[in-house]
Amino acid sequence: MGEGPQMPDRSTKTTVGTEDIHEMKAGVEPRDSHPRGILHNIKLAQLMISGYLKSSISTVEKRFGLSSQTSGLLAAFNEVGNVSLILFVSYFGSRVHRPRMIGYGALLVALAGLLMALPHFLSEPYRYDHSSPEDRSQDFEASLCLPTTVAPASALSNGSCSSHTEAKHLSMVGIMFTAQTLLGIGGVPIQPFGISYIDDFAHHSNSPLYLGILFAVTTMGPGLAYGLGSLMLRLYVDIDRMPEGGIDLTTKDPRWVGAWWLGFLISAGLVVLAASPYFFFPREMPKEKHELHFRRKVLGGAASTGSKGKELSSQHEPLKKQAGLAQIAPDLTVVQFIKVFPRVLLRTLRHPIFLLVVLSQVCTSSMVAGMATFLPKFLERQFSITASFANLLLGGLTIPLAIVGIVVGGVLVKRLHLSPLQCSVLCLLGSLLCLLLSVPLFFIGCSTHHVAGITQDLGAQPGPSLFPGCSEPCSCQPDDFNPVCDTSAYVEYTTPCHAGCTGRVVQEVLGKSQVFYTNCSCVPGSGPVPAGSCESACSRLVLPFILLVSLGATVASVTHTPSFMLILRGVKKEDKTLAVGMQFMLLRVLAWMPSPVIHGSAIDTTCVHWALTCGRRAVCRYYDHDLLRNRFIGLQFFYKSGSMVCFALVLAILRQQSKEASAKAAVKSSHLQQL
């Protein structure tokens, strides 16, 4: 009995005139704008937490001795909780109080942020290598330059290994994986309910623009996360427990670890603030009630005339029969939903336009996921810039331009009233231009500078026997890491010991204290050599590189809203909700989950010198820069090519359908003329 009055309300939308709809929108638009703005705020805050880990990925690797493959898995692990619930939330969401569910999910996201920061407080203070003559044991002469190593917390030396230390390290990593899972679960209600808000309370002609704004806001969150990461990574990791006498590191030192944990605390606080208003929202928005009242008035007026009433009721009957899974899902039990779901799923997946557009979005999302996770680290290694500056480039240039591209795509669809065929043309042109802009990236970069004993033979594993004979009397520890640079020959040594240095002085250079090592038997003229890695010869190329990346991101983002509209307009109306849910699920399963792991694994294959932790590989110290650039950009090129091919097939199918429709119309008109 309860379903009777609801079905006419849904179907009456087809009988309402355009002018009436516009008048109805005008009467309630001011009341609708505020909730939508708050929705954007909570989505923004939620994405700051998920994006912040990507901004500090290289720092977390150094702090906890992780490979890029492991850190990529950590970055993608929030999708595990998201994928497990996204479809059920999409369908059964109308049974619950949607604003409160968004609020509860946001609180879970805030808890995940707090858990991400917890390993900092449970771990010992960060200690870095001090491989200098001052650290030598008094039992040896100065000419032996044998250091006493202080093992960093991020990479415990093999001599300090124990079951306790290894178990504690695994527990810290386990806490972060748990936090990422909770982050994915907490973010589940926000995206589907946000899109349903727009679909329920926005006019269909404004949907492309509003969707573009929503997608732009989802991009703005990571942009703010990179900006926050840029600020936090300038601070020392143990700013809350600084050692006595301070530290002798700068942000340019490869041993520097920034305050990665502080950004999670700030982001969690912002999520709590953004979530608070949702607990006071009504179950239904005022505009939704206004629409129901308006439709009932229309129905009442139509029912007052007998003939129109019969006609209207006859129109409702077939609509009841055509009600799809999207309409009846709220009234299904879990068992009934599971029985109905496979049939509708197969029907949706057999739709060629839907499948090809989603595959193109999978390729694009895979490219974005890999770039968002590892582009800051790539810039650090390729151009010898700090983690803070790398995040600043992404947060201040790349992501703002991507936001512009998303909004432009939404505006083009709305203003030009693009048909599905025209949307596919726009998507194909955008993906082609994005592919062309990535070609020069293969040639912008520098080879790895010479590192004594490591880069001489990239195919061999580094070890004590590979270091020059001049440092053999020093009995240097192979796992130590305190690099120094011979600026005259542009050769880097992993420690002053490996350079054969026996002295250390501190000099004032440009108003700052600079450490130099002297009496270095492996250095022409015996030094002195400054502490720190050698500066890259192509640091100046980072700006043209990031500019090309940003332009490519802009044109790729223009295709975002048109491709989404291809899905909404290409499937049956009753399957539209399922199509959206399937789209987000497939993007997570096929792109956002595997892509960071794939990119991280590719990066690990370019490593030429690993730090060892208890006999296992930990963080990578040095990469083959040419191989790193070719494989990282090559993966990006592969995904961009896949996206372009899929859009080309979509265009071909739509053109064929258009020709068939024109031919049928011509045949029909000829028959009418003959009659």
Side-chain angles (χ1 to χ4, degrees):
M1 294 295 293
E3 295 179 7
Q6 292 178 3
M7 290 302 299
D9 289 340
R10 287 193 184 110
S11 59
T12 309
K13 194 170 187 178
T14 59
T15 67
V16 179
T18 305
E19 296 84 356
D20 296 330
I21 293 177
H22 280 293
E23 290 175 5
M24 180 178 62
K25 297 291 173 182
V28 293
E29 189 67 30
R31 289 188 289 175
D32 175 53
S33 59
H34 179 63
R36 185 162 55 232
I38 298 180
L39 168 68
H40 293 166
N41 291 339
I42 198 170
K43 186 64 180 175
L44 193 69
Q46 178 248 333
L47 288 170
M48 279 189 66
I49 292 185
S50 60
Y52 183 77
L53 175 62
K54 296 177 176 62
S55 72
S56 55
I57 201 76
S58 63
T59 301
V60 172
E61 287 180 7
K62 283 191 286 185
R63 182 65 178 93
F64 297 99
L66 305 179
S67 65
S68 293
Q69 184 184 46
T70 304
S71 64
L73 180 62
L74 176 63
F77 214 71
N78 67 307
E79 304 297 344
V80 173
N82 203 299
V83 167
S84 61
L85 297 176
I86 184 69
L87 279 179
F88 285 94
V89 169
S90 297
Y91 277 99
F92 297 110
S94 59
R95 289 182 171 181
V96 299
H97 195 296
R98 288 190 294 179
R100 288 181 185 172
M101 285 299 297
I102 292 177
Y104 290 136
L107 291 182
L108 199 58
V109 168
L111 176 62
L114 297 178
L115 282 179
M116 282 298 299
L118 185 60
H120 167 75
F121 300 98
L122 298 180
S123 302
E124 296 294 328
Y126 173 70
R127 292 175 294 165
Y128 51 90
D129 288 343
H130 297 280
S131 303
S132 66
E134 291 183 352
D135 300 314
R136 291 193 310 267
S137 170
Q138 297 297 325
D139 296 333
F140 297 90
E141 296 181 5
S143 60
L144 297 179
C145 59
L146 181 67
T148 299
T149 305
V150 180
S154 59
L156 298 170
S157 66
N158 294 329
S160 63
C161 286
S162 67
S163 59
H164 173 71
T165 55
E166 195 66 1
K168 188 172 183 179
H169 172 265
L170 292 176
S171 65
M172 297 298 102
V173 178
I175 289 174
M176 290 191 289
F177 273 94
T178 303
Q180 284 291 93
T181 305
L182 292 179
L183 176 62
I185 295 174
V188 166
I190 300 176
Q191 185 83 348
F193 290 168
I195 291 181
S196 68
Y197 280 169
I198 291 178
D199 186 58
D200 289 344
F201 306 117
H203 189 268
H204 69 278
S205 65
N206 291 328
S207 292
L209 178 61
Y210 291 153
L211 286 172
I213 293 174
L214 178 63
F215 293 140
V217 169
T218 61
T219 309
M220 194 182 304
L224 294 178
Y226 285 112
L228 182 62
S230 177
L231 294 175
M232 297 299 103
L233 296 183
R234 295 180 186 178
L235 306 175
Y236 185 61
V237 61
D238 289 324
I239 190 174
D240 57 329
R241 47 185 178 183
M242 290 289 286
E244 295 184 7
I247 58 173
D248 58 356
L249 294 179
T250 65
T251 55
K252 292 184 178 181
D253 196 300
R255 297 167 297 167
W256 173 270
V257 173
W260 60 273
W261 53 274
L262 192 55
F264 286 111
L265 298 182
I266 296 174
S267 300
L270 293 176
V271 170
V272 171
L273 291 177
S276 301
Y278 279 84
F279 294 99
F280 304 98
F281 276 13
R283 188 183 183 95
E284 294 180 351
M285 291 295 186
K287 185 176 181 181
E288 186 175 16
K289 294 178 180 178
H290 185 95
E291 281 188 345
L292 293 174
H293 177 66
F294 179 82
R295 293 174 185 176
R296 289 188 181 116
K297 285 179 62 178
V298 174
L299 280 177
S304 62
T305 60
S307 58
K308 291 185 179 179
K310 293 179 182 179
E311 182 182 353
L312 199 60
S313 62
S314 64
Q315 290 177 356
H316 293 159
E317 289 301 323
L319 287 172
K320 286 182 181 180
K321 296 178 181 179
Q322 295 173 4
L325 182 61
Q327 295 172 329
I328 65 175
D331 301 316
L332 294 178
T333 64
V334 175
V335 176
Q336 291 172 333
F337 173 77
I338 293 175
K339 290 181 179 179
V340 176
F341 178 73
R343 174 167 46 84
V344 184
L345 174 63
L346 290 176
R347 185 174 67 204
T348 304
L349 290 179
R350 282 199 298 262
H351 197 290
I353 300 298
F354 171 81
L355 197 58
L356 286 172
V357 173
V358 169
L359 286 177
S360 70
Q361 290 181 340
V362 165
C363 292
T364 302
S365 296
S366 298
M367 178 264 296
V368 172
M371 183 174 293
T373 306
F374 289 110
L375 184 59
K377 177 178 179 175
F378 177 84
L379 296 177
E380 291 175 47
R381 296 291 185 168
Q382 190 70 218
F383 303 103
S384 296
I385 61 176
T386 65
S388 175
F389 185 53
N391 284 319
L392 183 63
L393 290 175
L394 261 72
L397 182 62
T398 305
I399 293 183
L401 287 179
I403 293 173
V404 171
I406 292 175
V407 175
V408 168
V411 171
L412 288 176
V413 174
K414 173 179 169 57
R415 295 295 184 185
L416 302 180
H417 304 287
L418 298 182
S419 65
L421 181 63
Q422 293 170 325
C423 284
S424 65
V425 172
L426 178 60
C427 291
L428 179 60
L429 291 176
S431 57
L432 176 61
L433 184 56
C434 179
L435 186 69
L436 295 177
L437 287 172
S438 65
V439 173
L441 300 180
F442 285 100
F443 310 101
I444 302 179
C446 289
S447 302
T448 306
H449 57 266
H450 180 57
V451 182
I454 295 178
T455 58
Q456 291 177 342
D457 184 3
L458 295 179
Q461 292 295 322
S465 61
L466 293 179
F467 289 102
C470 55
S471 64
E472 289 181 0
C474 299
S475 301
C476 303
Q477 296 294 320
D479 293 338
D480 291 344
F481 186 65
N482 179 21
V484 296
C485 180
D486 176 12
T487 54
S488 60
Y490 204 62
V491 176
E492 184 172 321
Y493 301 87
T494 55
T495 67
C497 178
H498 290 110
C501 304
T502 60
R504 178 180 184 271
V505 296
V506 180
Q507 299 179 359
E508 291 291 328
V509 178
L510 300 177
K512 296 182 180 180
S513 297
Q514 175 72 52
V515 177
F516 290 89
Y517 294 94
T518 58
N519 302 323
C520 304
S521 58
C522 298
V523 177
S526 299
V529 293
S533 294
C534 295
E535 294 287 339
S536 174
C538 60
S539 296
R540 66 186 184 280
L541 297 178
V542 67
L543 291 181
F545 184 92
I546 197 66
L547 184 61
L548 283 175
V549 169
S550 302
L551 291 176
T554 303
V555 295
S557 299
V558 171
T559 68
H560 194 111
T561 301
S563 64
F564 192 84
M565 298 309 297
L566 280 174
I567 292 178
L568 293 180
R569 296 174 180 175
V571 298
K572 294 182 178 180
K573 185 176 181 180
E574 62 268 21
D575 296 338
K576 195 170 294 186
T577 304
L578 174 66
V580 174
M582 282 297 302
Q583 177 202 21
F584 284 114
M585 190 192 73
L586 291 174
L587 289 181
R588 284 171 166 83
V589 172
L590 300 180
W592 292 100
M593 286 177 64
S595 180
V597 182
I598 293 172
H599 280 80
S601 301
I603 291 173
D604 284 342
T605 62
T606 67
C607 182
V608 296
H609 180 55
W610 290 92
L612 298 179
T613 299
C614 298
R616 64 172 177 83
R617 295 192 314 184
V619 66
C620 182
R621 300 295 192 194
Y622 295 101
Y623 292 93
D624 181 348
H625 288 182
D626 289 332
L627 196 58
L628 173 63
R629 183 174 62 256
N630 290 334
R631 291 189 177 175
F632 185 78
I633 302 302
L635 266 177
Q636 300 282 303
F637 192 86
F638 170 77
Y639 286 125
K640 293 174 183 178
S641 300
S643 177
M644 186 188 69
V645 170
C646 289
F647 280 131
L649 292 176
V650 170
L651 178 60
I653 293 174
L654 289 176
R655 279 186 173 177
Q656 183 64 29
Q657 292 178 351
S658 178
K659 290 180 180 178
E660 292 176 357
S662 300
K664 289 181 179 179
V667 171
K668 187 176 181 180
S669 62
S670 64
H671 283 312
L672 291 175
Q673 290 176 358
Q674 291 176 359
L675 294 176

